[in-house]
Amino acid sequence: MRYKIQYAMALNKKNSFGKKEQDLAECAKALAHPARIAILKVLAQHNECICGEIVSVLPLAQSTVSQHLKELKNAGLIIGTVDGPRSCYCINWKAFEKFNREFSFLFNHLKTEQACC
Amino acid sequence: MRYKIQYAMALNKKNSFGKKEQDLAECAKALAHPARIAILKVLAQHNECICGEIVSVLPLAQSTVSQHLKELKNAGLIIGTVDGPRSCYCINWKAFEKFNREFSFLFNHLKTEQACC
DNA sequence: ATCTTATATCGCAAATATACGATTAATAAG
DNA sequence: CTTATTAATCGTATATTTGCGATATAAGAT
């Protein structure tokens, strides 16, 4: 079948949802790439500021790692401070706790009885 | 500046990471859209099979909702059973517990002392 | 002042995700 | 059998993400 109609923009409907849903989804999106999980893992294991070490551990170009770090920072999951020509990143544990709390709150309701499936 | 070089395919590097990182990221990706959070919320509140009700609650077309349900199903977060002309979905609580466990395991290491930031 | 080092940003290409209408499939109802 | 109902899938357009090389920036070293 041919489609002759010109479609309207694939509208971004994300704003049609509640703030809680949006925030949770935003946070999950930051976690939705193995490179970012790996970065967080490295930061968690060191629990101190790392910078170029992350690049040397990951199988990605420096610019790509920098971009992933930026996304984690924008999501609030890590904190970055500039120290001369190098940057220093740490996990924002409070943000993680908040994520866990919100996440559990949404889904821990009726875990006891399953009506079907 | 002009770029004359033809770039190599933007290679998918996701397989360069460990299975645990990939699985966690995969799960997070399924949660990375407010519509899917909203769907899970509805399922959690009812704790029983819902189908077209989800469509009527969400501000999205039926085909779009069906697509989101498929993604949640592929990620293993929900279970779907066909019941005549209608489909019935439930939350897969075990998958959620696993996600929570893996997630905590990765990041609960050295939460106590923060060296900087 | 120039060079080096570490990191962020820009510009692009490719891949993936989002969204919807149209269609199909499968069963139920008449 | 025909029709109605429910949901999945297909085809398309658009938006966003991923990734890298090139460049810019910023501070320390020489």
Side-chain angles (χ1 to χ4, degrees):
Chain A
M1 234 318 174
R2 299 289 88 215
Y3 285 77
K4 284 152 190 164
I5 300 157
Q6 197 68 359
Y7 280 88
M9 182 173 65
L11 225 40
N12 191 337
K13 292 265 185 126
K14 282 176 185 169
N15 292 321
S16 320
F17 297 91
K19 190 177 180 336
K20 281 203 172 177
E21 283 82 0
Q22 285 187 58
D23 286 355
L24 251 181
E26 197 62 32
C27 203
K29 198 169 71 180
L31 297 168
H33 195 289
R36 294 195 285 273
I37 298 282
I39 289 172
L40 291 169
K41 200 173 164 186
V42 172
L43 289 177
Q45 281 166 350
H46 287 71
N47 204 17
E48 58 180 53
C49 296
I50 314 276
C51 43
E53 298 176 44
I54 299 168
V55 174
S56 63
V57 168
L58 297 196
L60 296 169
Q62 177 266 320
S63 59
T64 307
V65 172
S66 191
Q67 205 172 298
H68 282 305
L69 284 166
K70 191 180 173 185
E71 282 172 64
L72 287 169
K73 200 175 166 184
N74 285 343
L77 293 176
I78 63 174
I79 299 163
T81 56
V82 180
D83 170 30
R86 67 201 69 199
S87 286
C88 163
Y89 289 102
C90 295
I91 287 189
N92 183 1
W93 291 112
K94 287 191 179 177
F96 271 84
E97 277 155 28
K98 191 188 172 199
F99 174 69
N100 253 328
R101 227 177 317 121
E102 299 272 342
F103 186 71
S104 303
F105 181 72
L106 263 182
F107 304 120
N108 273 3
H109 275 296
L110 307 170
K111 211 183 274 189
T112 41
E113 302 165 51
Q114 192 89 337
C116 63
C117 297
Chain B
M1 234 315 175
R2 300 286 89 216
Y3 287 76
K4 285 153 190 164
I5 299 157
Q6 198 68 358
Y7 282 87
M9 182 173 64
L11 225 40
N12 192 336
K13 292 265 184 127
K14 283 177 185 168
N15 292 321
S16 320
F17 296 90
K19 190 178 180 337
K20 280 203 174 177
E21 283 82 1
Q22 287 186 57
D23 286 354
L24 252 181
E26 196 63 31
C27 204
K29 199 169 71 180
L31 297 168
H33 195 289
R36 292 194 287 271
I37 298 282
I39 289 171
L40 291 169
K41 200 174 165 185
V42 173
L43 289 178
Q45 282 166 348
H46 286 72
N47 204 19
E48 57 178 54
C49 296
I50 314 278
C51 43
E53 296 176 48
I54 299 168
V55 175
S56 64
V57 169
L58 297 196
L60 296 170
Q62 176 266 320
S63 58
T64 308
V65 172
S66 192
Q67 207 172 294
H68 282 305
L69 284 166
K70 191 181 174 185
E71 282 171 63
L72 287 169
K73 199 174 166 185
N74 285 342
L77 292 176
I78 63 173
I79 300 164
T81 55
V82 180
D83 171 30
R86 66 202 69 201
S87 286
C88 163
Y89 288 102
C90 294
I91 286 190
N92 183 1
W93 292 111
K94 287 191 178 175
F96 271 83
E97 276 156 28
K98 192 188 171 200
F99 175 69
N100 254 327
R101 229 179 312 121
E102 299 273 342
F103 187 70
S104 302
F105 181 72
L106 262 183
F107 304 120
N108 274 3
H109 274 295
L110 307 168
K111 211 181 274 189
T112 41
E113 302 165 50
Q114 190 91 337
C116 64
C117 297

